[in-house]
């Protein structure tokens, strides 16, 4: 455990240096990147649509949606390439495949979280958004969705190591998956049969929790934290087993 | 002591399965310097990587009773877009050492000068070899795994390696892969020959060479 902690620390520092360099504002990009992304999309929404959407302030709706998307999508997609890019590091016996994936995912998790926190705080202080109604519920949703991103990253990393085509296929299917993940809608707005379908998508539950926490009881939400937890646990387990298999076959 | 027991390594290729190592047994005692001989593609580097733990064997057991270095080879281990210094820092962190204590030694041994602060990708192969050696000596392993890189060094580098690894660290073990007979003769106490996935051990370097010449023609 001590060794793994040490290795993770070393990998995190290394990742920061290689990705952001030492010059310029470097490390700040870690959260500026998702922040800019969220800001740009939110601005587009703000100008294109009405100020209010079914009684929900559009800015807060967009900020929660795109921050949450950045959370699970960036975490999993950065994890996906962790081994391809860094396999030579496993020359050092202490450096395990799981460490490579964890360090990349964790860094992205931190970036997305800082980005969301800063955006929310600045927007609330300037009066663009209201403060969240139930911060505990919001954080729970956020953590569960982050966990989902990590677990998805495990599986995606193992898949892309196994099948060369996986990365390309993922590029193609990720947009419909993102659409279905609840960035653009609340479950409550959908007709009943669509609700039933969309509630199978794990990310929707995290998204609903975050928005429930943010807007309080002003909105009706349909999340089942238990469902997301079970999905996360199964995916984590499957992901770890797949990564174990990856590390056995790895030829650095 | 390090012990390999019935190691098999099979790679999957387009044309089916390819057995590189087929039941290898090898024991490395503390202080022993072993040379590995074998033709291109006979599995020398694979054996080194399995010893180090960078790759897993398909079958068989590896018992590591000593600390082993990573394979000091041309590829791997370094990150080429990071500087020599950053690589030193990374490796020190991975092995739980304070890099400030080791920096002077590494700069001294590698003689890289201002290149310590340049990306490793701008290094010549000799410079890489010096850095790899310097860092692995700084980490102080019980057994060093050296895959070919010794052969790119000049006389001065050889003299230094000799002094550091074979005089100052006489008690350490070492496994050396080299095409140059001279290196193995110079540094090793015994040699083994890899051929057709099997390993044959010899007590003297000369008898190993005689066999190696015979089987490779």
């Amino acid at each position: 455990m001590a060794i793994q902690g040490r290795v993770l620390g070393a990998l995190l520092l290394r990742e920061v240096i290689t990705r952001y360099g030492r010059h310029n504002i470097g490390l700040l990009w870690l959260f500026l990147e998702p922040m800019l992304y969220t800001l740009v999309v939110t601005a587009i929404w703000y100008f294109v649509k009405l100020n209010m959407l079914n009684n929900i302030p559009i800015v807060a709706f967009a900020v929660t949606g795109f921050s949450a998307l950045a959370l699970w999508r960036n975490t999993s997609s950065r994890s996906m390439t962790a081994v391809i890019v860094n396999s030579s590091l496993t020359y050092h016996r202490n450096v395990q495949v799981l460490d490579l994936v964890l360090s990349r995912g964790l860094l992205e998790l931190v970036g997305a979280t800082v980005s969301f926190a800063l955006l929310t705080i600045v927007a609330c202080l300037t009066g663009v958004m209201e403060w969240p109604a139930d911060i505990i519920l919001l954080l729970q949703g956020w953590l569960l969705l982050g966990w989902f991103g990590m677990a998805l990253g495990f599986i995606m990393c193992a898949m892309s190591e196994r099948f060369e085509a996986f990365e390309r296929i993922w590029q193609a299917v990720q947009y419909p998956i993102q659409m279905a993940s609840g960035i653009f809608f609340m479950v409550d707005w959908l007709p009943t049969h669509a609700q039933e379908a969309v509630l199978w998508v794990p990310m929707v539950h995290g998204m609903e929790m975050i928005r429930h926490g943010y807007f309080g009881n002003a909105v009706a939400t349909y999340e089942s934290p238990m469902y997301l937890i079970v999905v996360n646990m199964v995916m984590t387990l499957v992901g770890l087993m797949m990564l174990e298999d990856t590390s056995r076959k790895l030829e650095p | 002591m390090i012990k390999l027991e019935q190691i098999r390594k099979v790679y999957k290729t387009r044309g089916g399965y390819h057995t590189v190592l087929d039941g290898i047994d090898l024991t490395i005692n503390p202080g022993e310097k072993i040379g590995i001989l074998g033709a291109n593609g006979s599995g020398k580097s694979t054996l080194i990587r399995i010893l180090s733990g960078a790759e897993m064997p398909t079958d068989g057991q590896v018992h590591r009773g000593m600390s082993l270095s990573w394979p000091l080879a041309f590829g791997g281990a370094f990150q080429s877009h990071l500087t020599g210094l950053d690589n030193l820092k990374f490796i020190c962190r991975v092995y739980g050492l304070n890099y400030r204590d080791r920096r002077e030694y590494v700069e001294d041994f590698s003689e890289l000068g201002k290149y310590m602060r340049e990306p490793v990708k701008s290094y010549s192969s000799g410079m890489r070899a010096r850095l790899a050696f310097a860092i692995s000596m700084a980490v102080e392993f019980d057994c060093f795994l050296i895959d070919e890189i010794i052969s790119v060094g000049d006389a001065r580098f050889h003299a230094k390696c000799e002094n550091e690894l074979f005089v100052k660290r006489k008690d350490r073990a070492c496994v050396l892969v080299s095409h140059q007979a001279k290196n193995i003769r110079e540094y090793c106490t015994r040699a083994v020959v890899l051929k057709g996935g099997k390993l044959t051990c010899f007590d003297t370097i000369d008898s190993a060479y005689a066999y190696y010449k015979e089987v490779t023609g």
Side-chain angles (χ1 to χ4, degrees), chain A residues 165-236:
Chain A
F166 181 79
E167 241 185 288
R168 292 172 217 285
I169 294 169
W170 179 254
Q171 292 292 341
V173 298
Q174 67 164 328
Y175 293 103
I177 293 177
Q178 287 172 20
M179 294 290 202
S181 74
I183 339 163
F184 303 106
F185 58 83
M186 303 279 302
V187 175
D188 194 39
W189 305 346
L190 303 174
T192 321
H193 64 278
Q195 285 184 359
E196 279 168 15
V198 99
L199 281 174
W200 284 103
V201 181
M203 294 83 95
V204 171
H205 295 268
M207 199 68 255
E208 290 276 290
M209 274 177 92
I210 290 169
R211 291 208 170 118
H212 189 181
Y214 205 97
F215 302 113
N217 293 324
V219 293
T221 54
Y222 294 79
E223 75 270 15
S224 153
M226 229 21 233
Y227 175 70
L228 187 52
I229 289 172
V230 170
V231 169
N232 281 352
M233 290 205 294
V234 171
M235 282 175 63
T236 306

Side-chain angles (χ1 to χ4, degrees), chain B residues 55-68:
Chain B
E55 245 176 81
M56 299 288 190
T58 315
D59 280 310
Q61 294 284 322
V62 185
H63 303 280
R64 294 192 189 88
M66 308 190 267
S67 67
L68 276 103

